Amino acid sequence: MQPKAQDGRYTGRRRVPTPPRSRYAAVVTTAVVGAGVVVLGAGAAAPDAGPSHTDAYSVDPAATSITTVEDRVAAQDRANRAADRAGPASTVEQAAPDVWYLPLRRQYEITTLFEMRWGEMHTGLDLAVPYGTPVYAVHAGTVTLARYNGGCGNAVEIDHGNGILTKYCHASKLLVKEGQHVDAGTPITQAGNTGFSFGDHLHFEVHINGKPVDPMRWMRERGVDIANRLEAANGAIIIS
């Protein structure tokens, strides 16, 4: 933008004479052709922006670049909703044998996502709740582990069949035994701070054929919205 003359006074610049019409046409033509060459050159130099191919349960890069946990949760939830729209419709009603529930029945705070943390992958969700808060099986299955388990502290693992396993860590108390069958919604532990932990919370994981996946995305596809604390099994409409 050209600077304006102060107080409306003439700045001393001389008016450039208008070129003859033939010269004006030549100038315009040269400018148009030059612009076309620049555009073509830029298009040739631009990198191919083809679609990226990522794992369906990989971490959303946008989510990990945001500073607050709340914003990362919201970004991850938006990414999950977009992915759900691209795939099969979300489950709204489920038959009783295939029902899925939230692992906690009271208010909680998501403190860490399925994401890189301290240079390594954090393979689950951390849900902060008061000490002793009941933790529930998200789906029917068989308890394959119910004991102290290293950094996971007091832990429970449930085999749901078809290669699906859920894991619940850092409990203050175990309420089930190995080999026991549990239904969805059965109390299995009480939240605590055992193992490698920095406060009372539930660390919740989902494994498919031995590989950890994003619990928020996995549970959402089964009618459980962890970010918004909603369950299709209890009448909530999970909107993609």
Side-chain angles (χ1 to χ4, degrees):
M1 180 180 295
Q2 294 290 341
K4 295 181 179 180
Q6 296 181 356
D7 302 325
R9 291 176 296 179
Y10 179 60
T11 60
R13 290 187 179 181
R14 293 189 176 184
R15 184 180 182 86
V16 179
T18 303
R21 183 173 301 276
S22 59
R23 288 181 58 198
Y24 176 77
V27 169
V28 171
T29 302
T30 303
V32 171
V33 172
V37 171
V38 171
V39 171
L40 289 175
D48 182 14
S52 59
H53 300 281
T54 57
D55 190 298
Y57 298 98
S58 62
V59 181
D60 176 23
T64 58
S65 66
I66 302 172
T67 56
T68 69
V69 173
E70 291 80 4
D71 287 345
R72 294 204 307 277
V73 170
Q76 187 64 56
D77 189 45
R78 287 194 298 270
N80 292 342
R81 289 173 187 271
D84 288 345
R85 285 195 294 270
S90 298
T91 303
V92 175
E93 296 182 0
Q94 303 182 56
D98 196 36
V99 68
W100 291 78
Y101 289 130
L102 289 163
L104 296 164
R105 313 307 306 169
R106 62 158 294 156
Q107 201 81 349
Y108 53 80
E109 179 185 358
I110 301 175
T111 56
T112 312
L113 295 172
F114 180 81
E115 61 185 353
M116 292 299 295
R117 184 182 68 168
W118 304 331
E120 59 184 35
M121 191 65 188
H122 181 258
T123 55
L125 289 178
D126 284 351
L127 310 176
V129 287
Y131 181 91
T133 298
V135 176
Y136 301 88
V138 297
H139 191 60
T142 301
V143 176
T144 55
L145 183 145
R147 55 182 169 81
Y148 192 88
N149 190 31
C152 209
N154 292 326
V156 166
E157 294 181 4
I158 301 175
D159 183 354
H160 304 286
N162 299 315
I164 304 169
L165 180 141
T166 54
K167 192 172 182 178
Y168 314 75
C169 298
H170 309 307
S172 60
K173 185 177 181 180
L174 302 177
L175 305 178
V176 292
K177 297 180 179 180
E178 293 178 8
Q180 179 179 340
H181 174 81
V182 294
D183 294 323
T186 299
I188 55 174
T189 75
Q190 292 179 357
N193 190 29
T194 58
F196 186 56
S197 173
F198 297 99
D200 297 325
H201 73 288
L202 165 67
H203 173 89
F204 173 63
E205 295 186 10
V206 177
H207 292 240
I208 307 301
N209 296 321
K211 177 184 177 182
V213 299
D214 182 358
M216 191 180 295
R217 169 78 186 278
W218 172 264
M219 294 294 289
R220 181 175 173 76
E221 290 175 349
R222 281 143 190 85
V224 178
D225 189 339
I226 295 178
N228 297 295
R229 305 175 184 89
L230 298 173
E231 296 170 328
N234 283 318
I237 305 301
I238 310 301
I239 301 174
S240 298

